Amino acid sequence: MNSYKFYWCCLLLCFSVFPSTAKQVVNVVVDQVKPQQLTPIVTLTGSLKAQRHANLSVLTDGIVTHIYAETGEKVQQGEALLNLDSALVKAQLQANKAALAREQVAVDNAQRRLTEAQSLFDKKLFAQTELADRETALNSAKASLLEAQANQFYQQQLLNHHQLLAPFNGIIAERMVDVGEWVTRGQSVFELVSNEQLWLDLYMPQEHFNGVDVNSTVKVYLSSKPEKTFSATVVTKVPVVNTNNRSFLLRLALDNASDLQVGLSASADIPLVQSAQESVVIERDALLRHPDGGFSVFIEHDGVAHRQNVKIGARMNGKVEITQGLKAEQWVVTQGNELLQDGQSVNVVSRLGEK
């Protein structure tokens, strides 16, 4: 019997020491609901890529005799990267030069003979048929000269193809051949990357196609440099939707990105076209999520918190659009709302947005 009385005494003591939570006054911070024009922001992630990134190949078959660039080296446009054995091509080029000179002599001689014949013909000392033959001989010599010039040009270009030049300024990302190897036309021998202009390719959901403006400015964040914010410009949006993920390509050009590396992970905040209508917007901290997926907020009125179910729209910059359930000028609880109950008394320690 004594133990039974002791149990109830302890129980009453607990209730007296720990009063009901519903009767407690909770300190809260409230914010006044105000209509705003929305500028929704969509955050996407991707990797930096170079505007110029090429696997270089040779234009003819041959044996590699010289390599002038190594992996990691910076090269300038027009700088020699590789030579192929060109001894036979050079010999044929010399033969073509000799043939060209010979044809030039033939043209000069035919021209001289025609000039002499015309002079004698004017004095009626030369036959018309013989004059025509000499004109034909000159034309034939000129045709042979053109052929020799074409052969020399062809051989010179063939010689040029035995040397690979850098098509643009960049860094050698990989060298794929060595001296003494036989390479074939079209075979990749160098990977060249330029970081002078970097792109960030993102895939935007199809419903936002009309909400993105080309030439708009975008903030970009790199995981390797979290303390710094980079600026980029929307350079193009491709009007073709990928049927697998229902998105389209959005390409950004980074500003002043010469010190960045290709392949870095990056995220971008893409601002969408601002809505023409004003919407009710609250701080994200004021929103409470229910187990069933619904949302609610606490509205403070005369020192009492009332739970109000709401429907949400867009989210941006730590704010949430409320499409149903709130009106302008109401006060919503933004801090201290985690353990609030409907109808509980509150002590407002700060009213944000109060005039």
Side-chain angles (χ1 to χ4, degrees):
M1 187 70 177
N2 292 334
S3 60
Y4 182 80
K5 291 182 178 179
F6 178 76
Y7 169 78
W8 279 107
C9 288
C10 291
L11 190 62
L12 290 173
L13 180 62
C14 289
F15 277 107
S16 63
V17 174
F18 302 100
S20 173
T21 303
K23 296 180 180 180
Q24 287 182 340
V25 177
V26 179
N27 293 331
V28 296
V29 175
V30 296
D31 191 8
Q32 192 172 37
V33 178
K34 295 181 180 179
Q36 301 179 27
Q37 278 192 328
L38 291 177
T39 304
I41 293 178
V42 178
T43 301
L44 301 173
T45 59
S47 299
L48 300 186
K49 63 180 296 185
Q51 180 185 20
R52 291 184 170 183
H53 186 168
N55 288 327
L56 308 183
S57 58
V58 293
L59 297 176
T60 188
D61 302 346
I63 295 177
V64 179
T65 57
H66 296 87
I67 291 179
Y68 303 106
E70 293 296 335
T71 301
E73 289 186 2
K74 291 184 178 181
V75 296
Q76 301 297 316
Q77 182 178 4
E79 185 177 337
L81 304 179
L82 172 149
N83 273 359
L84 301 179
D85 182 21
S86 58
L88 296 179
V89 178
K90 289 179 178 178
Q92 184 60 51
L93 181 61
Q94 291 298 321
N96 287 352
K97 288 181 178 179
L100 178 60
R102 185 168 55 251
E103 295 300 335
Q104 185 64 59
V105 170
V107 169
D108 294 342
N109 185 56
Q111 181 65 60
R112 179 186 58 79
R113 287 170 56 82
L114 178 60
T115 302
E116 291 178 351
Q118 287 175 336
S119 178
L120 293 174
F121 179 78
D122 292 340
K123 298 177 182 179
K124 301 187 182 302
L125 298 175
F126 204 83
Q128 176 70 40
T129 301
E130 184 66 23
L131 180 63
D133 289 342
R134 293 195 180 186
E135 289 177 347
T136 301
L138 176 60
N139 292 334
S140 178
K142 288 182 178 180
S144 297
L145 177 62
L146 289 175
E147 182 180 7
Q149 290 173 340
N151 288 337
Q152 184 189 20
F153 177 80
Y154 174 83
Q155 201 66 26
Q156 182 63 57
Q157 293 302 308
L158 189 59
L159 177 61
N160 294 342
H161 289 175
H162 282 68
Q163 183 177 66
L164 178 62
L165 304 179
F168 51 84
N169 300 341
I171 299 174
I172 301 296
E174 184 180 2
R175 175 171 64 86
M176 306 169 188
V177 296
D178 209 339
V179 172
E181 290 188 31
W182 176 268
V183 295
T184 57
R185 182 173 57 184
Q187 177 182 342
S188 296
V189 294
F190 287 101
E191 182 183 2
L192 181 62
V193 180
S194 173
N195 63 350
E196 293 180 354
Q197 177 61 69
L198 297 183
W199 285 338
L200 177 58
D201 283 356
L202 304 171
Y203 289 91
M204 176 76 79
Q206 62 181 4
E207 59 268 22
H208 297 313
F209 185 84
N210 293 325
V212 181
D213 285 336
V214 176
N215 298 324
S216 60
T217 302
V218 174
K219 291 182 179 180
V220 176
Y221 309 92
L222 301 180
S223 56
S224 61
K225 296 186 177 182
E227 75 287 351
K228 189 174 181 181
T229 301
F230 294 85
S231 178
T233 304
V234 178
V235 293
T236 187
K237 55 179 183 178
V238 180
V240 177
V241 175
N242 187 316
T243 55
N244 293 325
N245 53 27
R246 296 299 173 185
S247 64
F248 64 92
L249 174 62
L250 187 71
R251 174 164 291 170
L252 313 181
L254 271 74
D255 304 326
N256 302 322
S258 57
D259 60 333
L260 300 180
Q261 297 79 43
V262 174
L264 289 177
S265 175
S267 62
D269 291 338
I270 312 298
L272 303 181
V273 176
Q274 191 177 55
S275 173
Q277 297 180 347
E278 291 187 335
S279 302
V280 174
V281 178
I282 64 172
E283 295 291 332
R284 183 171 55 190
D285 293 338
L287 194 66
L288 300 174
R289 185 182 183 94
H290 301 168
D292 62 359
F295 296 92
S296 66
V297 298
F298 279 100
I299 300 174
E300 183 274 333
H301 182 69
D302 292 337
V304 179
H306 302 279
R307 183 184 292 273
Q308 175 65 48
N309 293 327
V310 295
K311 291 184 179 180
I312 67 171
R315 303 185 185 210
M316 72 297 292
N317 299 330
K319 296 183 181 296
V320 181
E321 178 189 16
I322 303 299
T323 60
Q324 183 178 332
L326 283 183
K327 297 179 181 180
E329 307 303 326
Q330 289 181 310
W331 293 94
V332 295
V333 179
T334 58
Q335 296 181 35
N337 55 348
E338 295 84 0
L339 300 178
L340 275 181
Q341 298 180 12
D342 189 21
Q344 188 169 2
S345 298
V346 293
N347 175 41
V348 179
V349 297
S350 178
R351 289 185 181 271
L352 303 179
E354 188 174 35
K355 296 181 180 180

